[in-house]
């Protein structure tokens, strides 16, 4: 049987986490970012499934050979996860193992679901690797702005699409104040519209996972690189470690990370299937 843990009990999953695993899992277990956790035993869990609060996927943690847990995963997905996912428009299950030992288990448990896969790359950046000469020129008309509370609140209505910023922040944070307490961010403004942003997604201790999004019509203008540089420079000022996680196939994202000086520290495989 698999049961959902109360948020106040998330700490019980600390010992299930892989030291070199994804920051997302740690951030949720520590209660920094929102999410849900399903486990085999609410008193003393040995295996678990984390549902990221931004609906961006699921992470398997703990003992990958726990047959009692593994044999109930498909039922959990069909009876609990699928109905709730459909309510928020989520039609695919995207899962990863926090430890690569989960890969074979995931393939076996979901072998009848038309399982697909992809590769992810994780980078970090330290001051000694930072490329100070990577600042690009951007077109006239774009302004780089630090995301502050007054800017976010937009009381003067000066930003015409502030919802773009709001929804992006609240994808990762339960409250705006949580973001301002724990995270940092910058955005590019063009003609009173936020068109690109770079913010702290998941945060654990001094490590800040970078979240970047640019509106399609403003892509290819080096805004992401410009914002990433502003972001990492503030990280260095505050002794934070910037962390970049992207799909291996996302060549523009990989290119920006490597131009700035990020180093690939590990990779992992993701799996997906249609919720049907």
């Amino acid at each position: 049987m698999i049961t959902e843990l109360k948020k106040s009990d998330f700490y019980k999953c600390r010992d299930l986490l892989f030291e070199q695993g994804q920051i997302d899992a740690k951030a949720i277990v520590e209660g920094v970012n929102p999410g849900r956790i399903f486990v085999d035993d609410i008193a003393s869990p040995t295996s678990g499934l984390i549902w990221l609060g931004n609906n961006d996927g699921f992470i398997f943690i703990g003992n990958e050979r726990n047959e009692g847990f593994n044999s109930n995963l498909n039922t959990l997905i069909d009876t609990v996860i699928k109905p709730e996912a459909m309510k928020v428009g989520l039609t695919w299950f995207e899962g990863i193992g926090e430890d690569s030992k989960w890969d074979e288990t995931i393939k076996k448990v979901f072998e009848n679901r038309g399982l697909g896969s992809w590769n992810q790359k994780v980078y970090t950046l330290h001051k000694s690797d930072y490329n100070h000469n990577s600042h690009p020129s951007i077109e006239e008309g774009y302004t780089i702005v630090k995301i502050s509370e007054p800017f976010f609140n937009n009381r003067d209505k000066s930003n015409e699409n502030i919802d773009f910023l709001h929804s992006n922040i609240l994808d990762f944070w339960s409250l705006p104040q949580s973001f301002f307490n724990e995270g940092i961010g910058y955005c590019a403004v063009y003609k009173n519209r936020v068109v690109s942003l770079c913010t702290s997604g998941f945060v654990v201790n001094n490590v800040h996972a970078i979240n970047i999004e640019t509106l399609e019509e403003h892509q290819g203008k080096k805004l992401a690189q410009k914002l990433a540089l502003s972001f990492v420079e503030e990280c260095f000022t505050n002794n934070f470690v910037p962390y970049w996680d992207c799909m291996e196939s996302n060549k523009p994202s990989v290119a920006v990370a490597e131009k700035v000086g990020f180093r690939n520290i590990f990779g992992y495989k993701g799996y997906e299937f249609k919720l049907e």
Side-chain angles (χ1 to χ4, degrees), residues 130 135 144 186 225-235:
Y130 175 46
H135 269 283
I144 305 303
Y186 289 82
Q225 185 177 344
K226 190 76 171 178
L227 291 171
L229 288 162
S230 297
F231 185 96
V232 301
E233 286 174 357
E234 181 164 351
C235 281

Side-chain angles (χ1 to χ4, degrees), residues 1-2 67-77:
M1 183 175 175
I2 299 178
E67 285 304 318
F69 180 78
N70 296 343
S71 63
N72 283 291
L73 279 169
N74 279 296
T75 299
L76 173 72
I77 289 169

Side-chain angles (χ1 to χ4, degrees), residues 115-126:
L115 196 64
S117 66
W118 74 94
N119 294 318
Q120 290 278 135
K121 300 183 79 170
V122 174
Y123 297 82
T124 57
L125 178 64
H126 295 277

Side-chain angles (χ1 to χ4, degrees), residues 20-24 26 121-125 199 202 207-211 231-232 235 240-245 262 265-266 268:
Q20 302 300 321
Q22 294 80 12
I23 187 177
D24 321 33
K26 296 179 177 69
K121 300 183 79 170
V122 174
Y123 297 82
T124 57
L125 178 64
T199 61
F202 297 97
V207 181
H208 287 241
I210 294 176
N211 164 54
F231 185 96
V232 301
C235 281
F240 299 154
V241 177
Y243 176 106
W244 192 298
D245 186 341
F262 279 82
I265 54 171
F266 69 91
Y268 61 92

Side-chain angles (χ1 to χ4, degrees), residues 136-154:
S137 297
I138 57 175
E139 294 178 16
E140 188 175 345
Y142 290 98
T143 305
I144 305 303
V145 178
K146 180 175 170 62
I147 301 171
S148 63
E149 289 188 67
F151 183 86
F152 182 91
N153 292 331
N154 195 36

Side-chain angles (χ1 to χ4, degrees), residues 74-137:
N74 279 296
T75 299
L76 173 72
I77 289 169
D78 291 334
T79 62
V80 177
I81 290 174
K82 179 182 172 182
E84 297 190 30
M86 294 300 176
K87 291 177 185 176
V88 294
L90 188 65
T91 58
W92 285 83
F93 180 95
E94 296 182 345
I96 61 174
E98 204 217 6
D99 188 328
S100 61
K101 292 177 181 178
W102 273 99
D103 288 4
E104 291 306 313
T105 297
I106 293 171
K107 287 188 279 189
K108 180 180 177 182
V109 169
F110 303 123
E111 61 185 350
N112 296 319
R113 288 189 180 258
L115 196 64
S117 66
W118 74 94
N119 294 318
Q120 290 278 135
K121 300 183 79 170
V122 174
Y123 297 82
T124 57
L125 178 64
H126 295 277
K127 283 185 179 181
S128 58
D129 296 320
Y130 175 46
N131 181 2
H132 293 271
N133 298 316
S134 59
H135 269 283
S137 297

